[in-house]
Coordinates of all heavy atoms in Angstrom, one line a residue:
I24 N 0.5 2.3 -0.8 CA 1.3 3.5 -1.0 C 0.8 4.5 0.1 O -0.4 4.8 0.2 CB 1.2 4.0 -2.4 CG1 1.8 3.1 -3.4 CG2 1.9 5.3 -2.4 CD1 1.5 3.5 -4.8
S27 N 1.3 10.1 1.9 CA 2.3 11.2 1.5 C 3.1 11.0 0.3 O 3.9 11.7 0.0 CB 3.3 11.3 2.7 OG 3.8 10.1 3.0
A36 N 0.3 3.1 -15.4 CA 0.6 1.8 -16.1 C -0.2 1.5 -17.4 O 0.3 1.0 -18.3 CB 0.3 0.7 -15.0
G41 N 3.9 0.8 -23.5 CA 5.0 0.0 -24.1 C 5.3 0.2 -25.5 O 6.1 -0.6 -26.1
V51 N 17.5 -0.5 -35.8 CA 18.8 -1.3 -36.1 C 19.9 -0.2 -35.7 O 20.0 0.7 -36.4 CB 18.9 -1.6 -37.5 CG1 20.4 -2.4 -37.6 CG2 17.9 -2.6 -38.0
A96 N 22.7 25.8 0.9 CA 21.6 26.2 1.8 C 21.6 27.7 2.0 O 20.7 28.5 1.9 CB 21.6 25.4 3.0
G108 N 14.4 11.8 -9.6 CA 15.1 10.5 -9.3 C 15.7 10.3 -8.0 O 16.9 9.9 -7.9
L118 N 21.8 17.5 2.1 CA 21.2 18.8 1.9 C 20.2 19.0 2.9 O 20.0 20.2 3.4 CB 20.6 18.8 0.5 CG 21.5 19.0 -0.6 CD1 20.9 18.9 -2.1 CD2 22.2 20.4 -0.6
Y122 N 19.6 22.4 5.4 CA 18.5 23.2 5.4 C 17.8 23.2 6.9 O 17.2 24.3 7.3 CB 17.4 22.9 4.3 CG 17.8 23.4 3.1 CD1 18.5 22.7 2.2 CD2 17.4 24.7 2.5 CE1 19.0 23.2 0.9 CE2 17.9 25.3 1.3 CZ 18.6 24.4 0.4 OH 19.0 24.8 -0.7
S126 N 16.4 26.3 9.4 CA 14.9 26.5 9.7 C 14.4 25.1 10.1 O 14.9 24.1 9.5 CB 14.1 27.0 8.6 OG 12.8 27.0 8.9
G154 N 9.6 18.4 11.2 CA 9.1 19.6 11.0 C 8.9 20.0 9.6 O 8.4 21.0 9.2
S163 N 7.1 10.1 -13.8 CA 8.3 10.4 -14.6 C 8.7 11.9 -14.5 O 8.0 12.7 -13.9 CB 7.8 10.2 -16.2 OG 6.9 11.3 -16.5
I203 N 13.3 22.1 -17.5 CA 13.7 22.6 -16.2 C 13.6 24.0 -16.3 O 13.0 24.7 -15.3 CB 15.1 22.2 -15.9 CG1 15.3 20.6 -15.6 CG2 15.7 22.9 -14.8 CD1 14.8 20.2 -14.4
T206 N 10.1 25.3 -16.0 CA 9.4 25.1 -14.7 C 9.9 26.0 -13.6 O 9.1 26.4 -12.7 CB 9.7 23.7 -14.3 OG1 9.3 22.7 -15.3 CG2 9.2 23.3 -12.9
L214 N 20.4 22.6 -9.1 CA 21.5 21.8 -8.9 C 21.8 20.7 -9.6 O 20.9 19.7 -9.6 CB 21.6 21.6 -7.3 CG 22.8 20.9 -6.7 CD1 24.0 21.8 -6.7 CD2 22.5 20.6 -5.3
N243 N 17.6 -7.4 -15.0 CA 16.2 -7.2 -14.5 C 15.3 -6.4 -15.3 O 14.0 -6.7 -15.2 CB 16.4 -6.6 -13.1 CG 15.2 -6.4 -12.4 OD1 14.5 -7.4 -12.0 ND2 14.6 -5.1 -12.4
L245 N 14.7 -7.1 -18.4 CA 13.9 -8.1 -19.1 C 12.8 -8.8 -18.1 O 11.7 -8.9 -18.7 CB 14.9 -9.1 -19.6 CG 15.9 -8.6 -20.6 CD1 16.7 -9.8 -21.2 CD2 15.3 -7.9 -21.8
N255 N 8.4 -13.1 -23.1 CA 9.0 -14.5 -22.8 C 10.5 -14.4 -22.8 O 11.2 -15.4 -23.4 CB 8.5 -15.6 -23.6 CG 8.9 -15.4 -25.1 OD1 9.2 -14.3 -25.5 ND2 8.8 -16.5 -25.9
I286 N 11.3 -13.8 -29.7 CA 10.7 -13.2 -28.5 C 9.3 -12.8 -28.8 O 9.1 -12.1 -29.8 CB 11.6 -11.9 -28.0 CG1 13.0 -12.3 -27.8 CG2 11.0 -11.5 -26.8 CD1 13.3 -13.4 -26.9
I325 N 19.7 29.2 -17.7 CA 20.0 28.7 -16.3 C 21.6 29.2 -16.1 O 22.4 28.5 -16.7 CB 19.8 27.3 -16.2 CG1 18.4 26.9 -16.7 CG2 20.0 26.8 -14.7 CD1 18.2 25.4 -16.8
R329 N 27.9 28.6 -8.9 CA 29.0 28.0 -8.2 C 29.2 26.6 -8.7 O 28.2 25.9 -9.0 CB 28.8 28.0 -6.7 CG 28.9 29.3 -6.0 CD 30.3 29.9 -6.1 NE 31.4 28.8 -5.6 CZ 31.7 28.7 -4.4 NH1 31.0 29.4 -3.4 NH2 32.6 27.9 -4.0
T330 N 30.4 26.1 -8.7 CA 30.8 24.8 -9.1 C 31.7 24.3 -8.1 O 32.6 24.8 -7.6 CB 31.4 24.8 -10.5 OG1 30.5 25.3 -11.4 CG2 31.7 23.3 -10.9
L342 N 25.7 24.6 -9.2 CA 24.5 25.4 -8.7 C 24.2 26.5 -9.7 O 25.1 27.3 -9.8 CB 24.7 25.9 -7.3 CG 23.5 26.6 -6.7 CD1 22.2 25.8 -6.6 CD2 23.9 27.4 -5.5
A343 N 23.0 26.4 -10.3 CA 22.7 27.5 -11.3 C 21.4 28.1 -10.8 O 20.6 27.6 -10.2 CB 22.7 26.9 -12.8

Side-chain angles (χ1 to χ4, degrees):
I24 298 172
S27 51
V51 179
L118 281 170
Y122 282 92
S126 173
S163 67
I203 292 289
T206 301
L214 180 66
N243 183 72
L245 300 182
N255 67 338
I286 307 299
I325 311 172
R329 287 294 311 273
T330 300
L342 179 65

